[in-house]
Amino acid sequence: MKDVAALAGVGVKTVSRVVNGERYVSEETRTAVERAIVQLRFQRNTGAASLRHGSSATIGLIVEDIAEPFQSNFARAVEGLAIANGTLLFTASSSDNIDREREMALSLIARRVDGLIVIPSPFDHGFLQPELAAGLPIVFADRPPLGLVADSVTSDNRGGARAAVTHLIEQGCRRVVYIGDGEDIYTGAERLAGYRDALADADIPLDSDLVFLGHPDSARSEAALRTSFTGATQPTGLFTGNTLNTIATLRTAAYAEFLPAHVAFDDFELADLMARPLTVVAQDPAEMGRRAAGLLFDRLENGPGPHETVTLPTRLILRDSSRTAR
Amino acid sequence: MKDVAALAGVGVKTVSRVVNGERYVSEETRTAVERAIVQLRFQRNTGAASLRHGSSATIGLIVEDIAEPFQSNFARAVEGLAIANGTLLFTASSSDNIDREREMALSLIARRVDGLIVIPSPFDHGFLQPELAAGLPIVFADRPPLGLVADSVTSDNRGGARAAVTHLIEQGCRRVVYIGDGEDIYTGAERLAGYRDALADADIPLDSDLVFLGHPDSARSEAALRTSFTGATQPTGLFTGNTLNTIATLRTAAYAEFLPAHVAFDDFELADLMARPLTVVAQDPAEMGRRAAGLLFDRLENGPGPHETVTLPTRLILRDSSRTAR
């Protein structure tokens, strides 16, 4: 309110009069204050009515990469709900770059979007705290935000990874190689935790020599497989932690050579048409999009409420790659 | 101007006075006219300066389905140029439904986007003529618009299909089954023309019993293959006209049974990891996105010019599926 008053060149009391619809304010002053309110996206935090009042009928969606299949399917579902709510959708890819993400978010807010849905980069999102406090609904998806308490919709990454590795252990694989994202990425950390859970469940000690974390890269996968599968106590199982690491690994010569029993985290369109159809832990990106957008439109309709944390189940889909004769 | 006058409740002469910055117009009237102008997106067609003047620094992108890999890669490239130009991107999927597409386009225009990039549905786009005439840059991609003359960026669909079928003929396949989109879809018609070109080049008469056009569907593909490959003069080659038809066909029992020499239109991420790595005609969706966005920003910077029709080359990528011993 102080910022609005300063921008409009009036006192705080005058802003209050305008906002509360009181008389004794000149048309000129009223216009100046209203303009300042719009500029600063001032919102009295009094629930749905006032939130809808200044609606731009647009929402912003920030993903890491719209060309990545999981995220484009997620975006499609968000779009479906946006259309159903008479709302247009801004989309932007952050490339997991926090500077770009911040710039995108602030640009969208400056364009007065009614709300934001964000697949956050793995960095601090405290810069959004003032907007959240001012009543802008923000829903995070796929990963929760860092440095903020806010609504989020994620998959049960840990439970999914645990189910994948438990399945491999049940197939007789007591030594399972894990190739996945680093622990700096939320989903990477959760899936590693699920890998450990499954080993602990089966009383198998963790062998850190079998764990390979980092960016998806076929050379890295090749080295990982070759190191692990050459030696006295060879592993027989492989768990890849996300689609990009899965594909990088499928493309190695070592994979074709050793053909380990294999489960991948994340399903993809042609997983069943691979040379060896792939057993996967599937997330549901469309459901994640629907839930995230549903939560956002619920906030827009009904105003703020206690933060919600939605965790979606994953599903183990059995195909040929996890069968083993050993 | 008549619409502006009607909306503002003034005469056409008054609108003209406001637009030309003349005096003798009350502040109240000026405001009413300006508001109507904004609402109706009235633009005097005086080139770049006036176009840039009211810039909203947003552009609209309408695709058929943002979750389809070709289109999400296209969108990613458009987004890259938008960011480089300090512009935010609205995206919307039309589902190839003309009513929805029209609603999307008009909503975006009402939000005063600076320009539109559209992968058009196969219907008449004459409703955009007034906007084009008023100076709104619109670039069509993947398919040219119907009922409009406008900038477009497409692939050489006909040449690509011709190269695919010529390759199969050179491998010894004189009878080639074609499973593709119907001729009502631009790319479907062009690729069918390319299929015919290749046959004509090799003096092979067209056998319409080998041509199966329609929506991608595994049951349809199964029937097509089973009908064609059962009989006295069996074909040996197969050309599938787009990714969805390719995948529908790969999923049939008949495909695994007959294993024809096969070329598919459109590359996809895992084509090289299929049970039989797939020979494809590749388009370049990222380049298409860059060219379409480049054309749009050029129009925004430099004003209207003669319509441009950009045709991008395709590329035949040889893998195992087109090798044949027959």
Side-chain angles (χ1 to χ4, degrees):
Chain A
M1 235 158 158
K2 264 166 69 180
D3 294 342
V4 171
L7 187 64
V10 300
V12 172
K13 220 163 230 172
T14 307
V15 175
S16 169
R17 277 197 200 107
V18 171
V19 167
N20 294 308
E22 287 171 32
R23 285 180 289 180
Y24 310 117
V25 183
S26 76
E27 194 53 35
E28 197 187 319
T29 303
R30 185 177 298 279
T31 305
V33 169
E34 283 171 353
R35 208 164 276 168
I37 286 172
V38 166
Q39 270 182 45
L40 294 174
R41 205 199 153 75
F42 172 88
Q43 289 181 321
R44 285 189 306 158
N45 200 355
T46 52
S50 74
L51 281 171
R52 292 305 280 175
H53 184 63
S55 170
S56 64
T58 61
I59 62 172
L61 171 66
I62 301 176
V63 298
E64 181 245 322
D65 180 0
I66 193 70
E68 198 272 314
F70 181 90
Q71 297 177 59
S72 65
N73 279 290
F74 171 83
R76 185 72 171 90
V78 169
E79 194 183 270
L81 252 82
I83 290 169
N85 281 275
T87 298
L88 286 175
L89 187 66
F90 280 112
T91 56
S93 298
S94 68
S95 308
D96 264 0
N97 176 323
I98 183 66
D99 293 329
R100 183 151 155 182
E101 187 184 9
R102 188 192 291 116
E103 193 191 318
M104 292 287 140
L106 297 179
S107 296
L108 290 167
I109 290 165
R111 294 260 174 28
R112 296 190 289 133
V113 291
D114 296 332
L116 282 178
I117 296 174
V118 183
I119 294 184
S121 67
F123 301 99
D124 193 292
H125 284 75
F127 68 93
L128 287 171
Q129 185 59 55
E131 297 299 332
L132 268 178
L136 181 76
I138 307 179
V139 176
F140 292 87
D142 192 36
R143 314 161 179 170
L146 300 175
L148 269 187
V149 178
D151 293 325
S152 71
V153 181
T154 57
S155 287
D156 179 12
N157 292 285
R158 186 168 182 165
R162 184 181 196 160
V165 178
T166 296
H167 171 65
L168 285 169
I169 293 170
E170 286 169 357
Q171 297 295 102
C173 307
R174 293 188 61 86
R175 289 173 57 73
V176 176
V177 172
Y178 175 53
I179 301 177
D181 277 340
E183 290 184 87
D184 54 322
I185 296 173
Y186 168 80
T187 48
E190 288 291 301
R191 293 171 196 174
L192 177 61
Y195 169 82
R196 289 180 170 170
D197 288 344
L199 296 182
D201 291 344
D203 286 323
I204 299 173
L206 178 77
D207 181 349
S208 59
D209 286 351
L210 299 181
V211 175
F212 301 88
L213 306 181
H215 287 293
D217 175 50
S218 279
R220 196 173 68 80
S221 286
E222 172 76 23
L225 293 182
R226 214 156 278 288
T227 308
S228 313
F229 283 83
T230 314
T233 52
Q234 292 180 12
T236 52
L238 170 67
F239 175 47
T240 49
N242 61 329
T243 300
L244 292 177
N245 266 307
T246 299
I247 293 174
T249 303
L250 287 171
R251 289 232 161 88
T252 63
Y255 184 86
E257 189 177 327
F258 301 119
L259 277 184
H262 180 196
V263 181
F265 202 107
D266 270 338
D267 200 13
F268 48 90
E269 166 118 44
L270 299 164
D272 60 322
L273 291 174
M274 297 288 101
R276 198 172 54 147
L278 211 58
T279 293
V280 299
V281 175
Q283 300 185 79
D284 189 340
E287 177 65 10
M288 190 182 283
R290 282 189 295 269
R291 294 294 288 269
L295 203 45
L296 190 78
F297 284 109
D298 182 56
R299 297 296 186 207
L300 287 169
E301 195 61 34
N302 302 315
H307 291 300
E308 282 193 37
T309 303
V310 178
T311 306
L312 300 174
T314 59
R315 198 161 50 97
L316 184 67
I317 300 175
L318 299 179
R319 299 195 187 104
D320 293 352
S321 72
S322 60
R323 283 189 202 141
T324 169
R326 302 183 202 196
Chain B
M1 234 155 155
K2 264 166 67 180
D3 293 344
V4 171
L7 187 63
V10 300
V12 171
K13 221 165 229 171
T14 306
V15 174
S16 170
R17 278 198 200 106
V18 171
V19 166
N20 293 308
E22 286 171 34
R23 284 181 291 180
Y24 309 118
V25 183
S26 76
E27 193 53 35
E28 196 186 318
T29 303
R30 185 177 298 279
T31 304
V33 170
E34 284 172 351
R35 210 164 274 170
I37 287 172
V38 165
Q39 271 182 46
L40 294 172
R41 204 196 152 77
F42 172 85
Q43 288 182 321
R44 285 189 304 159
N45 198 357
T46 52
S50 75
L51 281 173
R52 290 308 279 175
H53 182 64
S55 170
S56 63
T58 61
I59 61 171
L61 171 66
I62 300 176
V63 298
E64 181 244 324
D65 180 1
I66 192 69
E68 198 272 314
F70 182 89
Q71 298 178 60
S72 64
N73 279 288
F74 171 82
R76 185 72 170 92
V78 169
E79 193 183 270
L81 252 82
I83 289 169
N85 281 275
T87 297
L88 285 177
L89 187 65
F90 280 110
T91 56
S93 298
S94 69
S95 307
D96 263 2
N97 176 323
I98 182 67
D99 293 327
R100 184 154 155 179
E101 186 183 10
R102 187 194 291 115
E103 193 192 318
M104 292 285 140
L106 297 179
S107 294
L108 290 168
I109 289 164
R111 295 261 174 28
R112 294 190 290 132
V113 291
D114 296 333
L116 281 179
I117 297 174
V118 183
I119 294 183
S121 65
F123 301 99
D124 192 293
H125 284 76
F127 67 94
L128 288 171
Q129 186 60 55
E131 297 298 330
L132 269 177
L136 182 75
I138 307 180
V139 176
F140 292 87
D142 192 37
R143 316 161 178 171
L146 300 175
L148 268 188
V149 179
D151 294 324
S152 70
V153 182
T154 57
S155 287
D156 180 12
N157 292 287
R158 186 169 181 163
R162 183 181 196 159
V165 178
T166 297
H167 171 66
L168 284 169
I169 294 170
E170 286 170 358
Q171 298 294 103
C173 308
R174 293 187 62 84
R175 290 174 55 74
V176 176
V177 171
Y178 174 54
I179 301 177
D181 276 340
E183 290 185 86
D184 54 322
I185 297 174
Y186 168 81
T187 49
E190 287 291 300
R191 293 172 195 174
L192 177 61
Y195 169 83
R196 290 180 168 169
D197 288 345
L199 296 181
D201 291 346
D203 287 324
I204 299 173
L206 178 77
D207 180 349
S208 59
D209 286 350
L210 299 181
V211 176
F212 301 88
L213 306 181
H215 288 291
D217 174 52
S218 279
R220 197 174 66 81
S221 285
E222 171 76 22
L225 293 182
R226 212 154 281 285
T227 309
S228 313
F229 284 84
T230 312
T233 52
Q234 291 179 12
T236 52
L238 170 67
F239 174 47
T240 49
N242 61 330
T243 300
L244 292 178
N245 266 306
T246 299
I247 293 175
T249 304
L250 287 172
R251 288 232 160 89
T252 63
Y255 184 86
E257 188 176 330
F258 302 119
L259 276 184
H262 180 199
V263 181
F265 203 107
D266 271 339
D267 200 12
F268 48 91
E269 165 118 44
L270 299 164
D272 61 322
L273 291 174
M274 297 288 101
R276 198 174 52 148
L278 212 57
T279 293
V280 299
V281 175
Q283 301 184 80
D284 188 341
E287 177 66 8
M288 189 180 283
R290 282 188 294 269
R291 294 296 287 270
L295 201 46
L296 190 78
F297 285 108
D298 183 54
R299 297 295 186 211
L300 286 170
E301 195 61 34
N302 303 313
H307 290 299
E308 283 194 37
T309 304
V310 179
T311 306
L312 300 174
T314 59
R315 196 162 52 97
L316 185 67
I317 300 175
L318 299 179
R319 299 197 186 103
D320 293 353
S321 71
S322 60
R323 283 186 204 144
T324 171
R326 305 184 199 198

